[in-house]
Structure formats: structure tokens, C-alpha cells
Amino acid sequence: MTTVCQWCNSTKIEQISDSVFWELPDGTRAIEITNTPTISCLDCSMVYQSETIVKEIENQLFLIDCKQIGNVISFDKLMQIPRLLKRNYFDFTS
């Protein structure tokens, strides 16, 4: 399956790691998540995260104690933080 840019449908994309900025679920602050799997389009120059990565980040932030996160955390370290619940019981899409 060929992956295409979600913005321009180009097949000239590459997988990179980049920083993203995310608001915590309680709205108290935003954090920087470094080394996040990211898609970069070589045609339209858009840089974005796949829906799968977005959902992973949102679920993880919803299921952990966000008070233990500083202002900056790597994607891998974020995903390794133990969850308070096994799954997001408010997500009815899965």
C-alpha cells in the first residue's frame, strides 16, 4: 500500500521525527513531545502526524497522570509511562 500525503495526495513523502506541541486533556498547559513519528511531504511541504499517532498520543495523555510530565518529553518516554486505566473507555471509535 502506497502512502500519500493527506493534503496534496503526493506520493513523495518521507517518515521523519519531529517535535509537536500538545495541550494536556485538562487544558492546564501544553507540552512539547520530541521525536514524534511525523510525515513530511516533499511536494507541498506539509509536516503532520498520522491519525494513528494522533490517537496514540491523545489516548496516552488521557490515561496517564499528566502531572508527572515536564514541559518536554520524547514520544517514546511518553508512551512508556504506565497507564492508570487499561484503555480509554470514552473512545467509542474502536
Side-chain angles (χ1 to χ4, degrees):
M1 181 173 131
T2 303
T3 306
V4 298
C5 174
Q6 293 178 356
W7 297 91
C8 72
N9 294 320
S10 171
T11 57
K12 295 179 184 174
I13 60 171
E14 61 183 0
Q15 301 290 328
I16 63 170
S17 293
D18 204 1
S19 288
V20 296
F21 297 87
W22 223 271
E23 184 177 350
L24 297 179
D26 63 5
T28 56
R29 63 190 171 104
I31 60 169
E32 178 180 0
I33 306 170
T34 61
N35 298 317
T36 304
T38 300
I39 298 168
S40 175
C41 179
L42 303 175
D43 279 339
C44 73
S45 300
M46 285 300 294
V47 177
Y48 61 95
Q49 290 68 47
S50 69
E51 289 182 33
T52 304
I53 294 297
V54 169
K55 187 171 180 116
E56 281 183 50
I57 292 171
E58 288 179 349
N59 278 336
Q60 185 70 352
L61 289 173
F62 189 73
L63 297 171
I64 64 172
D65 177 11
C66 290
K67 292 178 183 130
Q68 64 181 332
I69 301 173
N71 291 330
V72 179
I73 189 169
S74 73
F75 177 81
D76 290 336
K77 287 191 188 225
L78 174 66
M79 292 304 157
Q80 292 171 1
I81 295 174
R83 294 178 171 192
L84 301 172
L85 298 171
K86 290 182 184 180
R87 61 182 289 261
N88 182 351
Y89 294 100
F90 299 101
D91 179 5
F92 301 109
T93 61
S94 45

